[in-house]
């Protein structure tokens, strides 16, 4: 394998440094050849932990390395995934995944006996990898300086590893150099992409090899699809197209180990295979015999929606990096062919790399990990990418609601017990609360039932039996899921028979348990629109689902899907309304709600009984105070802006004068307030609120003199200086006080702003009263030249200029010719700059 060239460098680095960064492309052998070399070298005396991001790869890598040592898995090489492990006292290399490393560090911060941790495929940016790396670095820095951390990635582009590990030795390895021919075959405009994909695969697999020199047509094919549903549909389309010697092998996370092995192992002699896989086959795994890849270009991604508290599933295009990874699967063992079902032009528009999982997912479990580690904020960990602030805030809020952390994000006693259970914090809270209730009632039934309910929620690949969770309880008591359920029973020290608990299960108890885990997902029916959750989110069920007719539900699992207005419920239970008055009464609150009724244009106040956003009952509150109304008015103004008040031209002039003063006045002794529209809206409680005492409705609000209020908000000193810097009138030689109007540019949102060279002070006056002026007035201590708007005797605009001297010498001549005939009684001198100004006709002007 290509990595053989740099193995000596890596082994040498292990003796000199405690941090190593290895860049090696897919197929270089970093996941198999390197761990094998480390074991054979004897350099690492203690245990080696290697983190793989996927369970399929974990078992496969461990099996391959063990086979190279002529051993079975569980001897020198073992693996540990959630719910399954093969290790022994002799195991030196453990391949682990799915948060196993994080839990090991939490349980033993010194990682006793572990000398090296290898992080494989770190470029995929799985959340568990990012958290595991952050904790490992902290262990190394604070407790185990001799612990060696190896970070392995197919690429270091857009990966800030060197910032987290600045002292690391970086080693580069080449990948396998088998050429892969990349072909683009985009889907037609009106064509179903799965049908197109089926035709492409069939054409490749049925190509007459006698008529081509390309060897890759003799091999097997790997097809990349977004999920299980698409894999099954494509399999149905392909079955009638392919011959008996071509076998179809689906490959996704929910399959059994036997089925996954069938996809990975080479086909029998005389057979070829088509592997239909999700992105689980993108890296780490070497699938025997693959020489062709057909890539749909899609992946199903979940992005967390902070408004609803769930992840929204959507079909998205993969990144350019993923496309390269997928194409590379055709060139692992020989030259190959990669067919991309999109255009070359679209390839250039794809994201360069996929966003890290920490920016896309729900983070409650991460917050609990942080609290268990003693961190009160995610920023206290050495994360490759910071988490979105709102996602982190919601995670801490939920943990507080579940009583797993306190207001300072410190782990509670229940939080410690919840973390030890190893499941999602919601389910852990349900299990622990159920245990307490069972002990209180001296009956283990509720706690045993909680284990079964948690087992259903955590199960993967449930059959379709509708949304009622009670229909799936038996599954939690079978196979691998039963092992997990029994582990919870053991950890909680609950005695009793699970079969008896299953037989005695009822909706009252199940809905009670689900409400302990999902207090924000109690749902009330709202007619044909489905249900509304207590967090305010709308959800629906299939019309023929029996739960669709329930009045109340508790929803354990729902998903938001691209293109749907409401989430779709997958697991729920009918809620007995009696629970709201008894066991769940702590979720019911009394609130006083007040606000402004837009329809009636007046204030309202109610006393409401609610569960979250669901109103159970309400009565009118007649004890309304002026303070209530004032608060409601301010809320309306905050939501709808200053359009609700009489923000007329006079108010706008005050606003612009102060904004100009703020920008142009260099007198440090005077502090000018921010009069931008945004600031005025944000500070209404100070300048507007005192005048709302007797305002009862929007009509009265609109009658307020806003210009006067804005002036009153200025100090006496500010008012005097504003009149000096930005006068509202200019006294002409004739004694007329000509008005000055200020103008500022307006942005795309309709808000005024100060921009150099675009502010204007416009002085409007009849032309005859400007005679004798050699230049336009200057204001703001010489920083702003006034623009003259010269008017006709009938007050009509004749000309606008900021350079009066140039106007007299040029444009005035044409104005004089035109106006003399129209207004013969008024003065139109030949030498305006040296003529005395007048506001009278020639007859009334002295000397004429």
């Amino acid at each position: 394998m290509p990595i053989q060239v740099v193995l000596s460098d890596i082994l040498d680095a292990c003796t000199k440094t405690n941090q190593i960064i290895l860049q090696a492309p897919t197929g270089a052998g970093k996941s198999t050849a390197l761990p094998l070399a480390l074991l054979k070298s004897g350099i690492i005396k203690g245990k080696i932990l290697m983190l793989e991001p996927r369970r399929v790869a974990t078992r496969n890598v461990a099996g391959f390395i063990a086979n190279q040592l002529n051993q079975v898995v569980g001897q020198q090489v073992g693996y540990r995934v959630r719910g399954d492990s093969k290790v022994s006292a002799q195991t030196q290399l453990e391949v682990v995944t799915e948060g196993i490393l994080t839990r090991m560090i939490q349980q033993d911060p010194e990682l006793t006996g572990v000398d090296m941790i290898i992080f494989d495929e770190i470029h995929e940016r799985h959340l568990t990898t990012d958290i595991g790396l952050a904790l490992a670095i902290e262990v190394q820095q604070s407790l185990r300086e001799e612990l060696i951390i190896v970070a392995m990635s197919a690429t270091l582009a857009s990966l800030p590893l060197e910032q987290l590990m600045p002292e690391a030795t970086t080693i580069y390895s080449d990948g396998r150099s088998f050429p892969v021919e990349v072909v683009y075959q985009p889907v037609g405009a009106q064509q179903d992409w799965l049908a197109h994909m089926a035709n492409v695969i069939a054409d490749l697999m049925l190509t007459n090899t006698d008529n081509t020199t390309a060897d890759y047509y003799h091999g097997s094919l790997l097809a990349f699809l977004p999920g299980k549903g698409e894999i099954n549909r494509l399999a149905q389309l392909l079955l009638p197209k392919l011959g008996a010697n071509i076998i179809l092998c689906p490959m996704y996370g929910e399959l059994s180990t036997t089925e996954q092995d069938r996809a990975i192992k080479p086909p029998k002699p005389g057979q070829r295979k088509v592997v239909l896989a999700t992105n689980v086959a993108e890296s780490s795994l070497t699938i025997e015999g693959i020489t062709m890849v057909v890539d749909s270009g899609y992946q199903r991604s979940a992005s967390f929606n902070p408004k609803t508290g769930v992840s929204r599933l959507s079909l998205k295009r993969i990144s350019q990096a993923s496309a390269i990874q997928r194409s590379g699967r055709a060139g692992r063992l020989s030259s190959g062919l990669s067919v991309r079902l999109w255009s070359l032009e679209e390839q250039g528009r794809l994201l360069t790399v996929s966003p890290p999982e920490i920016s896309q997912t729900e983070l409650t479990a991460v917050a609990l990990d942080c609290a268990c580690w003693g961190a009160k904020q995610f920023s206290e960990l050495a994360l490759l990418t910071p988490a979105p602030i709102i996602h982190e805030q919601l995670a801490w809020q939920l943990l507080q609601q579940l009583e797993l952390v306190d207001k300072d994000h410190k782990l509670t006693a229940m939080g410690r017990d919840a973390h030890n259970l190893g499941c999602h914090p919601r389910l852990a809270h349900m299990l622990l609360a159920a245990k307490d209730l069972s002990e209180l009632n001296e009956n283990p039934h509720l706690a045993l039932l909680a284990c079964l309910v948690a087992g259903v929620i955590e199960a993967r690949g449930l059959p379709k039996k509708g949304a009622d969770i009670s229909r799936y309880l038996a599954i939690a008591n079978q196979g691998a899921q039963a092992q997990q359920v029994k582990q919870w029973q053991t950890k909680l020290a609950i005695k009793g028979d699970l079969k008896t608990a299953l037989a005695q299960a009822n909706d009252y108890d199940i809905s009670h348990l689900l409400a302990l885990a999902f207090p924000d997902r109690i749902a009330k029916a709202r007619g044909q629109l489905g249900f509304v959750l207590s967090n305010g989110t709308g959800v629906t069920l299939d019309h023929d689902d029996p739960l669709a007719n329930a009045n109340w539900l508790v929803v354990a699992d729902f998903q938001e899907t691209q293109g749907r207005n409401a989430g779709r419920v997958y697991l729920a239970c009918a809620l007995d309304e009696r629970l709201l008055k008894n066991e769940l009464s702590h979720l019911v609150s009394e609130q006083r709600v007040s606000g402004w009724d837009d329809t009636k244009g007046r204030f309202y106040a109610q006393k409401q009984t609610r569960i979250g956003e669901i109103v159970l009952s309400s009565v009118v509150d007649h004890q309304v105070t002026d303070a209530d109304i004032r608060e409601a008015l301010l809320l309306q103004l905050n939501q709808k802006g200053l359009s609700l008040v009489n923000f007329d031209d006079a108010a706008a002039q005050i606003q612009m004068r102060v904004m100009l003063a703020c920008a142009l006045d260099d007198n440090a002794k005077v502090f000018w307030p921010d009069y931008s529209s945004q600031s005025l809206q944000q500070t209404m409680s100070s300048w507007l609120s005192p005048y709302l005492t007797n305002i009862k409705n929007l009509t009265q609000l609109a009658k307020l003199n806003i210009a006067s209020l804005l002036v009153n908000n200025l100090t006496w000193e500010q008012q005097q200086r504003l009149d000096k810097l930005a006068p509202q009138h200019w006294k002409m030689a004739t004694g007329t006080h000509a008005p000055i109007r200020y103008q500022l540019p307006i942005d795309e949102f309709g808000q005024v702003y100060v921009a150099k060279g675009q502010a204007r002070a416009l002085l409007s006056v009849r032309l005859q009263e400007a005679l004798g002026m050699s230049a336009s007035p200057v204001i703001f201590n010489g920083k702003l030249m006034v623009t003259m708007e010269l008017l006709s005797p009938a007050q009509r605009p004749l000309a606008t200029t900021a350079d009066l001297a140039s106007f007299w010498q040029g444009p005035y001549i044409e104005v004089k010719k035109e106006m003399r005939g129209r207004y013969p009684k008024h003065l139109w001198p030949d030498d305006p700059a040296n003529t005395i100004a007048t506001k009278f006709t020639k007859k009334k002007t002295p000397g004429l």
Side-chain angles (χ1 to χ4, degrees):
M1 289 186 174
I3 201 170
Q4 300 283 351
V5 177
V6 296
L7 280 180
S8 59
D9 295 333
I10 299 172
L11 295 177
D12 182 58
C14 289
T15 65
K16 298 177 180 178
T17 183
N18 63 359
Q19 292 184 346
I20 300 170
I21 297 174
L22 172 62
Q23 176 177 293
T26 299
K30 60 182 181 296
S31 305
T32 52
L34 173 57
L36 184 62
L38 288 168
L39 290 176
K40 289 182 176 181
S41 71
I43 291 176
I44 308 301
K45 304 301 181 183
K47 183 170 288 188
I48 301 171
L49 299 178
M50 184 163 77
L51 182 71
E52 285 290 339
R54 295 186 175 93
R55 290 189 294 179
V56 178
T58 300
R59 296 190 185 100
N60 185 255
V61 167
F64 180 86
I65 298 173
N67 185 59
Q68 296 299 304
L69 294 170
N70 296 317
Q71 298 176 8
V72 297
V73 177
Q75 292 182 317
Q76 193 176 4
V77 181
Y79 70 79
R80 196 189 301 265
V81 300
R82 188 173 181 186
D84 183 22
S85 66
K86 286 188 178 181
V87 294
S88 66
Q90 291 76 41
T91 301
Q92 185 182 8
L93 171 64
E94 276 192 32
V95 189
V96 300
T97 188
E98 286 198 341
I100 298 296
L101 174 63
T102 300
R103 193 155 298 278
M104 293 174 72
I105 293 176
Q106 297 274 22
Q107 292 172 352
D108 178 13
E110 292 189 7
L111 286 176
T112 306
V114 176
D115 283 358
M116 175 182 280
I117 304 176
I118 302 174
F119 292 88
D120 195 14
E121 309 295 357
I122 204 166
H123 61 276
E124 293 189 8
R125 301 305 311 278
H126 290 271
L127 181 59
T128 50
T129 306
D130 283 10
I131 298 300
L133 178 62
L135 294 182
I137 289 176
E138 188 160 335
V139 168
Q140 185 189 65
Q141 292 176 345
S142 59
L143 300 171
R144 292 282 310 282
E145 186 178 348
E146 75 282 4
L147 178 68
I148 300 174
I149 296 176
V150 181
M152 303 195 302
S153 176
T155 176
L156 297 180
S158 304
L159 192 64
L161 266 177
E162 294 182 352
Q163 296 178 18
L164 293 187
M165 306 165 66
E167 303 299 324
T169 297
T170 302
I171 298 172
Y172 298 90
S173 169
D174 294 328
R176 195 179 294 278
S177 58
F178 293 118
V180 175
E181 180 184 354
V182 178
V183 176
Y184 292 89
Q185 292 189 18
V187 183
Q190 304 300 323
Q191 191 176 12
D192 173 59
W193 69 268
L194 272 174
H196 175 66
M197 191 172 189
N199 292 334
V200 170
I201 292 173
D203 289 344
L204 292 174
M205 295 303 293
L206 299 177
T207 296
N208 188 339
T209 55
D210 294 334
N211 297 331
T212 178
T213 58
D215 291 336
Y216 46 69
Y217 286 112
H218 296 270
S220 293
L221 183 147
L222 172 61
F224 283 101
L225 294 110
K228 172 184 172 182
E230 289 82 7
I231 287 175
N232 291 335
R233 289 199 296 274
L234 183 60
Q236 293 175 354
L237 293 172
L238 284 172
L239 276 174
K241 296 177 181 289
L242 302 178
N245 66 323
I246 299 175
I247 58 174
L248 291 176
C249 300
M251 188 175 182
Y252 48 87
E254 297 171 16
L255 291 175
S256 66
T257 303
T258 302
E259 291 172 305
Q260 291 172 1
D261 288 343
R262 180 170 173 265
I264 295 171
K265 292 179 180 178
K268 295 178 181 179
Q271 289 186 334
R272 296 158 71 205
K273 66 181 178 181
V274 174
V275 179
L276 307 179
T278 61
N279 55 9
V280 71
E282 254 184 45
S283 56
S284 294
L285 291 171
T286 297
I287 302 176
E288 297 291 340
I290 297 298
T291 58
M292 294 180 287
V293 165
V294 175
D295 188 358
S296 70
Y298 289 115
Q299 63 182 356
R300 182 157 281 105
S301 300
S303 55
F304 181 65
N305 182 354
K307 291 184 179 180
T308 60
V310 298
S311 295
R312 171 176 293 176
L313 284 176
S314 57
L315 200 63
K316 295 181 180 178
R317 279 297 188 189
I318 60 174
S319 65
Q320 293 182 27
S322 290
I324 293 171
Q325 286 275 96
R326 292 180 176 188
S327 293
R329 308 302 292 177
R332 279 285 184 98
L333 305 174
S334 63
S335 59
L337 171 70
S338 172
V339 180
R340 294 173 176 171
L341 303 185
W342 62 94
S343 67
L344 178 60
E345 179 186 9
E346 190 171 0
Q347 170 70 14
R349 296 198 301 266
L350 297 179
L351 293 174
T352 305
V353 295
S354 301
E357 190 178 1
I358 194 171
S359 67
Q360 304 288 307
T361 193
E362 189 253 2
L363 299 173
T364 309
V366 177
L368 187 59
D369 278 333
C370 281
C372 189
W373 190 247
K376 296 181 179 180
Q377 302 291 340
F378 290 8
S379 58
E380 295 178 26
L381 300 180
L383 294 170
L384 282 167
T385 302
I389 295 175
I390 184 63
H391 293 197
E392 180 179 353
Q393 289 175 343
L394 290 173
W396 289 115
Q397 288 172 13
L398 179 58
L399 289 184
Q400 289 180 56
Q401 185 178 6
L402 298 175
E403 299 178 312
L404 304 185
V405 300
D406 62 19
K407 61 181 179 60
D408 297 319
H409 301 176
K410 185 177 180 181
L411 198 69
T412 63
M414 178 182 276
R416 177 68 63 182
D417 293 339
H419 190 268
N420 291 335
L421 287 175
C423 55
H424 192 279
R426 287 182 181 271
L427 301 184
H429 176 263
M430 177 188 72
L431 290 167
L432 293 169
K435 176 188 176 182
D436 290 343
L437 290 170
S438 290
E439 291 177 348
L440 183 65
N441 298 323
E442 298 182 351
N443 183 352
H445 166 72
L446 197 65
L448 292 170
L449 182 59
C451 293
L452 292 170
V453 170
V456 173
I457 294 172
E458 288 220 332
R460 304 178 69 179
L462 288 173
K464 293 184 178 180
K465 294 184 177 183
D468 192 339
I469 196 171
S470 64
R471 298 184 177 187
Y472 302 92
L473 290 178
I475 295 174
N477 207 25
Q478 301 170 4
Q481 206 58 34
Q483 296 179 8
Q484 178 63 74
V485 170
K486 289 176 181 176
Q487 285 180 17
W488 286 326
Q489 182 182 3
T490 301
K491 287 184 177 181
L492 293 168
I494 305 169
K495 296 180 180 180
D497 182 30
L498 287 167
K499 291 183 179 179
T500 303
L502 180 60
Q504 296 177 352
N506 59 79
D507 283 353
Y508 191 95
D509 290 336
I510 296 173
S511 59
H512 179 197
L513 290 169
L514 290 180
L516 295 174
F518 304 97
D520 53 336
R521 296 187 191 173
I522 293 174
K524 185 180 181 182
R526 54 177 184 180
Q528 295 182 346
L529 296 176
F531 296 80
V532 60
L533 302 182
S534 52
N535 66 11
T537 304
V539 295
T540 60
L541 291 97
D542 291 338
H543 293 300
D544 57 352
D545 194 299
L547 288 183
N549 299 317
N551 291 322
W552 289 87
L553 297 176
V554 186
V555 178
D557 182 26
F558 80 97
Q559 292 287 344
E560 290 186 312
T561 308
Q562 193 174 20
R564 288 177 175 263
N565 293 328
R568 182 180 176 185
V569 176
Y570 289 99
L571 283 177
C573 180
L575 174 73
D576 191 316
E577 202 168 348
R578 291 175 297 172
L579 282 164
L580 303 179
K581 298 179 180 179
N582 299 306
E583 288 90 337
L584 299 178
S585 60
H586 62 283
L587 298 177
V588 180
S589 63
E590 300 286 342
Q591 295 183 29
R592 183 178 187 274
V593 178
S594 62
W596 206 266
D597 188 327
D598 285 333
T599 304
K600 298 180 179 179
R602 66 187 185 189
F603 176 82
Y604 73 90
Q606 294 177 343
K607 291 181 179 178
Q608 296 181 347
T609 304
R610 325 162 51 105
I611 295 181
E613 297 298 316
I614 299 174
V615 178
L616 302 177
S617 63
S618 64
V619 294
V620 176
D621 183 358
H622 297 288
Q623 297 180 350
V624 178
T625 66
D626 289 343
D628 291 331
I629 298 177
R630 183 165 59 249
E631 184 177 344
L633 284 170
L634 286 172
L635 181 60
Q636 280 285 294
L637 287 163
N638 279 321
Q639 292 174 347
K640 298 183 178 181
L642 296 172
S643 60
L644 292 179
V645 298
N646 183 26
F647 205 86
D648 57 11
D649 184 66
Q653 285 297 302
I654 296 295
Q655 177 190 29
M656 287 186 279
R657 290 168 67 207
V658 173
M659 290 177 67
L660 281 169
C662 192
L664 301 178
D665 186 14
D666 53 8
N667 188 338
K669 295 181 180 180
V670 178
F671 175 78
W672 294 101
D674 184 354
Y675 265 22
S676 65
S677 298
Q678 182 179 9
S679 178
L680 287 175
Q681 187 165 333
Q682 292 173 347
T683 59
M684 283 185 293
S685 59
S686 62
W687 67 268
L688 180 59
S689 179
Y691 302 94
L692 299 179
T693 303
N694 297 316
I695 303 298
K696 305 297 183 184
N697 52 53
L698 297 181
T699 301
Q700 292 176 330
L701 178 66
K703 292 181 179 179
L704 285 176
N705 187 335
I706 300 301
S708 177
L709 302 188
L710 292 177
V711 171
N712 292 342
N713 190 51
L714 301 174
T715 65
W716 175 253
E717 182 184 11
Q718 288 170 336
Q719 292 180 35
Q720 295 299 304
R721 185 159 181 80
L722 184 65
D723 288 339
K724 179 182 178 182
L725 292 173
Q728 298 180 73
H729 298 88
W730 190 267
K731 188 176 181 180
M732 307 299 292
T734 59
T736 296
H737 290 269
I740 298 178
R741 296 186 71 257
Y742 294 84
Q743 298 175 341
L744 292 178
I746 300 176
D747 64 19
E748 57 184 312
F749 304 105
Q751 307 297 327
V752 296
Y753 66 99
V754 177
K756 187 175 181 180
Q758 296 187 46
R760 187 164 79 161
L762 191 67
L763 188 155
S764 297
V765 69
R766 284 181 296 183
L767 183 144
Q768 284 75 17
E769 296 192 65
L771 295 173
M773 293 179 66
S774 60
S776 299
V778 178
I779 56 177
F780 281 103
N781 292 331
K783 293 183 179 179
L784 183 62
M785 178 75 73
V786 172
T787 298
M788 303 288 291
E789 184 183 45
L790 301 174
L791 309 176
S792 71
Q795 304 286 344
R796 302 284 195 277
L798 294 176
T800 302
T801 180
D803 188 350
L804 198 57
S806 296
F807 173 76
W808 293 138
Q809 296 176 8
Y812 170 72
I813 298 172
E814 295 301 319
V815 171
K816 177 183 66 174
K817 288 179 182 180
E818 182 179 352
M819 291 296 106
R820 265 181 173 172
R822 187 175 300 181
Y823 299 102
K825 295 181 180 181
H826 292 78
L827 188 63
W828 302 98
D830 294 331
D831 186 11
N834 295 306
T835 302
I836 299 174
T838 180
K839 57 182 178 180
F840 304 112
T841 61
K842 290 189 288 186
K843 184 177 181 180
K844 295 182 180 181
T845 301
L848 292 179

